[in-house]
Amino acid sequence: MGNSILVTGCAGFIGSHVVEVLLQQGHAVVGIDNFDAFYPRATKERNLSNFVDHPSFRLIEGDICDPNTFTKVEGAVEMVIHLAAKAGVRPSIEDPQAYIQTNIQGTQNILEWMRSHGMRKLLFASSSSVYGNNAQIPFREDDGLDLPISPYAFTKKACELQNHVYHHLYGMDIINLRFFTVYGERQRPDLAIHKFTERILEGQPIQLYGDGSSSRDYTYVGDTVDGILKAMQRLSAATTPLFETYNLGNSHPISLSDLVAMIEAKAGVEAVLEWLPAQPGDVETTFAAIDKATRVLGYAPKTTLGEGIERFVAWKKRELGR
């Protein structure tokens, strides 16, 4: 079986999908999660239900902000996949200190624990939000990132910088993966596709901010997980210190209005719309250039938004007992 892979945020949306695939591939996995009250614990427990009893999986309930959490990790760890974070742009404006504490201090604790135990390989979940309202379209990994527009974005960029320090000083192999609006089965309930689908299916109005022209590069979770696995392969194969950053997007943005129309079509229900002013901290568009990830990692998203929305609507209907 070999050494374990440590996955922080293992009970979350992306984390649970990653752990599931790693176990299917024969890896031993140690998962850390603090079951943050950002959404109900029962949701995260459902995320874990497919593998929590797997003989090659061990769950540590603990907070990355507490260095003692890592003392519970037993044996050697060959790689850390760091997905745990306080997520969400709008909540970060309400409570920036909590985001600084979890995202920056939590990442610092992981880096220091790795350094002190001679662990060298880290995959870090960054975000498309680091690009801010980037004038260059599509967003490229070497674009300037000095103008974040939310505390969440600032903390993710700060973590990328922290990672570089530990790469430079201690020779750690680190890959930053900038995720672009990941969706799919088990998506966080606060995110647009989940929230819209649920309310449309239940005949409740949905709130739309701005004029409907803002656009996002939505990426199906299966494609994101595939990108993570390919980045793991590159990290494992590294023989000299490695520090790289990749966009994991779909490279096909869609406007808010068109997204709602697509969900309506797949759900077979017309939405009741409430239009509200644009929200502070929300970027106008996200659009990933993925040629670097394709060229170096072999990353190639396969799921169109239409296919992904269809799968998500079917999953949500099952969840609602429809």
Side-chain angles (χ1 to χ4, degrees):
M1 188 80 61
N3 295 338
S4 299
I5 294 171
L6 177 68
V7 180
T8 70
C10 66
F13 163 43
I14 299 172
S16 62
H17 281 280
V18 169
V19 172
E20 208 163 11
V21 174
L22 291 175
L23 291 169
Q24 288 167 4
Q25 292 187 344
H27 294 281
V29 179
V30 177
I32 293 177
D33 208 289
N34 72 337
F35 295 86
D36 188 290
F38 189 61
Y39 55 94
R41 182 185 180 100
T43 301
K44 286 194 165 187
E45 288 179 342
R46 277 199 304 275
N47 292 349
L48 290 171
S49 62
N50 289 335
F51 57 82
V52 71
D53 296 323
H54 194 288
S56 296
F57 177 71
R58 177 167 176 255
L59 174 64
I60 296 171
E61 183 169 348
D63 195 326
I64 60 171
C65 294
D66 178 4
N68 292 322
T69 295
F70 301 97
T71 65
K72 301 172 187 174
V73 179
E74 299 168 357
V77 171
E78 68 179 76
M79 186 179 298
V80 176
I81 301 176
H82 178 25
L83 304 172
K86 282 196 81 69
V89 166
R90 293 171 195 161
S92 77
I93 296 172
E94 302 298 319
D95 189 7
Q97 184 57 46
Y99 282 70
I100 290 168
Q101 176 66 17
T102 298
N103 298 359
I104 298 178
Q105 185 59 55
T107 299
Q108 176 64 29
N109 290 342
I110 288 169
L111 289 165
E112 191 56 25
W113 172 72
M114 290 179 66
R115 181 202 63 77
S116 65
H117 287 75
M119 298 172 189
R120 290 176 47 84
K121 297 186 184 291
L122 173 68
L123 273 185
F124 173 70
S126 189
S127 165
S128 62
S129 68
V130 300
Y131 289 103
N133 279 321
N134 193 4
Q136 302 296 321
I137 299 291
F139 301 167
R140 310 194 71 85
E141 290 89 346
D142 55 0
D143 288 345
L145 300 178
D146 294 332
L147 300 172
I149 64 169
S150 71
Y152 172 68
F154 144 66
T155 63
K156 284 296 187 181
K157 179 55 185 170
C159 290
E160 291 187 13
L161 297 175
Q162 283 174 289
N163 290 343
H164 186 267
V165 169
Y166 274 72
H167 160 75
H168 175 75
L169 291 178
Y170 308 114
M172 285 188 189
D173 300 321
I174 300 177
I175 293 180
N176 302 307
L177 297 173
R178 293 175 181 161
F179 297 159
F180 280 69
T181 319
V182 186
Y183 74 99
E185 300 87 334
R186 302 183 216 151
Q187 189 190 36
R188 285 200 341 254
D190 62 296
L191 293 176
I193 287 176
H194 195 148
K195 193 161 49 177
F196 293 169
T197 301
E198 184 169 65
R199 295 184 74 85
I200 287 170
L201 289 172
E202 293 186 333
Q204 298 175 349
I206 60 173
Q207 296 178 332
L208 303 178
Y209 297 93
D211 62 3
S213 65
S214 64
S215 63
R216 294 289 179 272
D217 191 347
Y218 293 98
T219 314
Y220 185 66
V221 66
D223 291 323
T224 301
V225 171
D226 187 59
I228 291 170
L229 296 174
K230 286 178 164 56
M232 284 178 64
Q233 291 168 2
R234 180 157 178 83
L235 211 51
S236 294
T239 54
T240 56
L242 180 82
F243 184 84
E244 295 174 345
T245 300
Y246 297 95
N247 291 333
L248 293 187
N250 193 40
S251 213
H252 289 89
I254 185 174
S255 72
L256 181 62
S257 294
D258 287 347
L259 173 70
V260 171
M262 185 178 286
I263 296 172
E264 287 177 309
K266 301 298 182 184
V269 181
E270 190 172 337
V272 180
L273 307 181
E274 288 182 2
W275 290 97
L276 296 168
Q279 292 282 288
D282 278 358
V283 298
E284 293 157 14
T285 190
T286 62
F287 187 168
I290 60 172
D291 50 308
K292 180 182 176 185
T294 299
R295 184 179 71 254
V296 182
L297 302 179
Y299 171 71
K302 299 176 178 63
T303 311
T304 66
L305 185 60
E307 292 166 340
I309 294 290
E310 195 164 327
R311 291 178 201 170
F312 183 80
V313 169
W315 173 80
K316 193 63 204 178
K317 284 182 175 178
R318 291 195 300 273
E319 286 280 293
L320 295 171
R322 299 293 171 86

